[in-house]
Amino acid sequence: MSGNKRHEGITYGNAWMHKTLIKLLKVVDIRVFYVFMYIFVIPFTLVFSKGSRLTYQYFRCRRGYGLLKSLWATYRNHCIFGETVIDKFAMYAGHKFKVAFKDEDRYRVMTEGPDAFLQLSAHIGCSEILGYSYHVSKPCNVLVFGGEKQSLMGYRSSSFSEMNVNMIPVGVENTHSEEIVEAFDRGEIVIAFADRLMNPKKVITSTIHGFGVRLAKGPFSMAVTRGIDVVVVNAMKEKDGSYSAFFTPLTYDKTLPASQQRQQLADAYTAEIERLLEMYPLQWFNYFDLWTDND
């Protein structure tokens, strides 16, 4: 649960810990791990993680919560985020989660057609859960942080391969650009997050809750350059432990200048994030300082 200035996207723990957790999740009720985390992990994280301070500021300054409500929301936010992390390891252990799919008809049409498209997600909820539970016939290529631990990359690769999902590592070397272009040329899906900056010099600004935010310019430029369709897909955790997946196409005027097309997409993207956060206010899991007024 890192909140560094340049969040590296690395999952806590070593290979032995990950392997042991997966083995235990095969025989121990997942709720046991939730409770252990609530009591022994989250309090430590709240004290020592910069992400907890950024989360508190999010609720206090962006959402306008009172002092006590912001403190409680910060604690609950970290608890739910911890649950989503455990849920991913549970998926590696073979656990299946119930997922309700909202407004997927248009998305299904896109996946069954010949054209490539860009699928965006954000650091809200747990969109990765869909990679293990939602199968489409069109090949998917998900951009993942290449500096992640090899043990986790191995688990992801094994699970994703069964769902027709390929990983393209980014953020370490610039070798991914050719793979992305080739995926689009083959008419495939490219999946990316636009709310995490790999290159602070290539940004586009928009607003969330009325406050300025910096987004990665790259995903929007990819879509505009090729004139392809864009859809936002996020999976939000419900109180009963299940997930709800939301599929929202983003519309933009492809006749406008490229800069205006990018801005239209960025604004539509943040509008969808806001919409989901109104429904799931505790599931803001972006522990990176993307706010422009904090510079």
Side-chain angles (χ1 to χ4, degrees), residues 2-104:
S2 172
N4 296 330
K5 184 67 177 177
R6 284 201 65 189
H7 177 87
E8 298 298 340
I10 300 175
T11 304
Y12 176 79
N14 55 39
W16 177 85
M17 293 172 62
H18 298 158
K19 186 175 181 179
T20 301
L21 178 59
I22 292 171
K23 286 183 177 180
L24 289 173
L25 281 164
K26 292 181 179 180
V27 296
V28 180
D29 191 306
I30 193 172
R31 291 170 292 186
V32 173
F33 295 92
Y34 289 168
V35 173
F36 178 88
M37 175 194 62
Y38 300 155
I39 299 173
F40 297 106
V41 178
I42 299 304
F44 176 86
T45 302
L46 292 175
V47 172
F48 294 102
S49 169
K50 184 180 178 182
S52 64
R53 296 190 291 276
L54 291 172
T55 305
Y56 171 80
Q57 292 171 3
Y58 166 74
F59 289 115
R60 190 80 170 97
C61 303
R62 318 299 171 185
R63 302 304 300 261
Y65 289 5
L67 173 62
L68 294 179
K69 186 176 180 180
S70 296
L71 289 171
W72 177 245
T74 300
Y75 172 75
R76 288 294 301 132
N77 166 274
H78 278 63
C79 287
I80 299 171
F81 176 68
E83 290 177 7
T84 67
V85 173
I86 293 173
D87 290 351
K88 285 185 282 189
F89 280 95
M91 294 290 289
Y92 302 148
H95 187 89
K96 302 297 183 183
F97 289 89
K98 179 181 178 182
V99 183
F101 304 110
K102 312 288 186 178
D103 302 319
E104 65 169 322

Side-chain angles (χ1 to χ4, degrees), residues 166-186:
N166 171 57
M167 292 189 300
I168 300 179
V170 300
V172 179
E173 299 178 353
N174 292 323
T175 56
H176 59 274
S177 299
E178 184 175 340
E179 291 185 71
I180 295 172
V181 170
E182 291 174 353
F184 282 135
D185 288 343
R186 292 191 298 266

